[in-house]
Amino acid sequence: MDNVLNTAGDWAINVLFALAIFFIGRQVAKLIIKVCRRVLSRSRMDEMLVNFVLSILSGVLLLIVIVAALDRLGVDTTSLVALIGAAGLAIGLSLQDSLKNFAAGVMLIVFRPFKAGDFVEAAGTSGVVETISIFSSTFRTPDNRSIIIPNGAIYSDVITNYSARDTRRIDLVIGISYDDDIRKAKEVAEAVIKGDERVLEDPAPFIGVADLGASSVDLHIRPWVKSSDYFATMCDLKEKIKVAYDDNGISIPYPQTDLHVHQVSDKTGDAKPFVVARKAEDREEGGDD
């Protein structure tokens, strides 16, 4: 009887100690989480990443507290730890792609190659970034489609952020005829650019001869605009320059094909038409037959 009472007493003491370890350990874990949250918030880390990291840390701390309480009760925790490790390994192997996306999501949030609202080209998709989560990101395309892309595909590819800078350069290549006055063409293009208030004065626009092509003199017209005005300004400048060139008698060459019909006699003496097709640029260089 005394042995039973002693055993029950020891068991009761162990249970009390295990409960104390559990409750005190849980409070200590909450205190650690609170301190870590304060430190991470001061480091200006993304709130979503902070919550995710702290949730993982909270789970790990709670698991340690539970293992310590079970060990006080006399439970063999060695096998339990080995079982948890094996389960973690199995889960990790089965979720390789998800872990890859998770790691990429953490990198995107930490290093911030782009943020929500930026116009980005990544993983073969262009669009405005709407959300960046741990496993995937959502893009809104110019035609208003939502595309969800795994973060692993984004981070392993080239990322082009068109919104990273306040200003962008518009690169226009306009070809004029060899018969046109280059200086006049540059003056007309310069007047069009100066007439658009969206074009920035600094950096100054550039207009120059880029290439002497087979059938045209190619001008590079490169004004600078705000990134938000890029697409609309580019389209407007193309239209205005075309209209201004038409008004000033400056032509923009386009590919042409000339058909030359020759009469060729066969063995019977009958004349049959023989058609030779030549490109316009070839005719301009070699002369007409």
Side-chain angles (χ1 to χ4, degrees), residues 116-120 126-130 138-142:
D118 288 352
F119 187 84
V120 172
S126 298
V128 177
V129 180
E130 289 191 322
T138 303
F139 286 15
R140 186 181 74 250
T141 61

Side-chain angles (χ1 to χ4, degrees), residues 1 12 26 39 139 170 199 275 280:
M1 188 66 180
R26 193 171 62 173
V39 172
F139 286 15
I170 298 176
V199 175
V275 180

Side-chain angles (χ1 to χ4, degrees), residues 123-225:
T125 301
S126 298
V128 177
V129 180
E130 289 191 322
T131 58
I132 308 171
S133 62
I134 292 298
F135 294 101
S136 63
S137 298
T138 303
F139 286 15
R140 186 181 74 250
T141 61
D143 57 351
N144 207 31
R145 292 177 297 155
S146 290
I147 299 181
I148 300 174
I149 308 175
N151 288 332
I154 296 175
Y155 203 75
S156 61
D157 197 5
V158 177
I159 300 174
T160 303
N161 189 344
Y162 295 102
S163 303
R165 300 289 185 268
D166 294 332
T167 59
R168 286 186 64 184
R169 190 184 71 187
I170 298 176
D171 292 344
L172 300 179
V173 180
I174 307 293
I176 63 173
S177 173
Y178 274 92
D179 296 330
D180 294 325
D181 188 344
I182 296 178
R183 287 169 293 186
K184 183 179 179 180
K186 292 173 65 176
E187 290 174 358
V188 172
E190 184 177 0
V192 171
I193 291 176
K194 287 184 177 180
D196 196 315
E197 61 183 10
R198 293 168 297 184
V199 175
L200 303 177
E201 296 181 358
D202 185 23
F206 170 82
I207 303 175
V209 176
D211 189 21
L212 300 176
S215 59
S216 65
V217 178
D218 296 332
L219 300 180
H220 271 191
I221 303 173
R222 294 178 171 178
W224 287 82
V225 296

